[in-house]
Amino acid sequence: ARLDALPALGRGAGRVRPATGADADRLARMFKRVFRGAAGPPDPRLAADLRAILLEHPDRDERAASLVFERSDGDLGGFLGIVPVPMMIDGAPAMGAAVSTWMVEDRVRDSLAGTFLMRAHLRRGADATFTDTANRISIEFQAMMRLKFAPCQSLQWVMPLNWAGYLAAVGARRAGLRGGAPAVRAASALQRLARRRSLSDALAEPPVRPARIASPGEFARIWLDCVAQRRIRPAWGPERVEWILAEAARRPSLGGLRLKAVDGPGGAVGCLAYHVDPLGRAICVAAVAKSGEVEATLRAVFADAEAAGCVAMLGQSDPALMEGLFRIHGAFYRHTSGALVGAARPEVVAAFASGEGTLGGLVGDAWTPLATEAYSDVPSNSR
């Protein structure tokens, strides 16, 4: 159904319409208040990121455009930010919609705006709707909208690379110590001085392949090659993956984006992209490998990150990675953001849940600056 053909929702309360770039400044103010708990003018980077990723995305499509709830007086009462994902499902072109920023301005006055927005989106006919950053409240609400919880993509895997440093990082985060990096470095140094067996030694059986730096273009080609045989995958060319990597790199709070590739006898067999935060944790943005090469790829990147001084690596669970992770001693799993999927065809939902579909990593919104940045500590001209 076309949005301009939808009747007004509520008794004159307002209407749902596609969001445009002209809404960016007002949405930035709403975002800052709702998600960052602060009033006043937002950092200009926030409006720029909203515009680039959610309002004027290069793949913007009528079935997967971001929506606003506009009150009868013209003010904005709510927003459903969507990252469009052109896809291939069983060999046929399709349109996916990754739900990102979902908010209402006033929980009392705009109490039904969130429902109106999601219902309007689901009526548009996107072939699949999904999210990889749902919190507990959002999971319950989206379940009422007939989106299904995807448990296999709703855990975070953690691989400690230096246990002393990792535990110091956990303590610093839980204590709210923004300046905890010196303590983490000291703890890591103590473990090294104790001459305990390093992770790279522990992973030496079988021999660990070297991980090397990859250019954005090469990383894009490897990533696409690794997901090419999946039943559901993004219909992207290398240029779109490079665009996502460039946007994902704009996360100053997590440090620069490192792109790594791992080679096998016949060429590249996997790749992994990660940030290193101030506490030395490697935050994985994307990890893929060819069938039978997951363990070798992960071992290579873990050893490389440990040699670079990282205390741990963390990433979103993916059924395609689980067997390889299981074969490497020391990894554990913890609760994190939830993943949900909705589609008119039940077999599409089942395919996502079983790992036959690509969900999370670059396919979602966890890679975006909107998911991590405070938009308050970095100069506004950094974009």
Side-chain angles (χ1 to χ4, degrees), residues 285-364:
V285 173
V288 293
K290 292 184 177 180
S291 178
E293 298 287 355
V294 174
E295 180 185 356
T297 297
L298 292 175
R299 285 181 181 275
V301 177
F302 291 162
D304 183 81
E306 190 265 347
C310 297
V311 299
M313 182 170 281
L314 304 80
Q316 182 179 359
S317 59
D318 178 349
L321 299 179
M322 289 302 100
E323 183 177 354
L325 275 171
F326 186 78
R327 292 174 180 272
I328 302 175
H329 178 72
F332 65 91
Y333 307 86
R334 61 185 293 272
H335 179 271
T336 184
S337 299
L340 296 101
V341 180
R345 295 165 51 194
E347 63 270 24
V348 172
V349 178
F352 270 112
S354 66
E356 296 178 275
T358 307
L359 175 60
L362 302 184
V363 184

Side-chain angles (χ1 to χ4, degrees), residues 232-243:
I232 302 175
R233 58 178 176 81
W236 291 333
E239 71 286 344
R240 181 64 63 243
V241 179
E242 290 186 60
W243 181 86

Side-chain angles (χ1 to χ4, degrees), residues 130-150:
F130 44 86
T131 182
D132 63 339
T133 55
N135 59 29
R136 185 178 62 182
I137 296 174
S138 181
I139 288 173
E140 294 173 354
F141 187 82
Q142 293 185 60
M144 292 189 293
M145 297 288 105
R146 298 184 180 179
L147 272 68
K148 303 296 185 183
F149 184 66

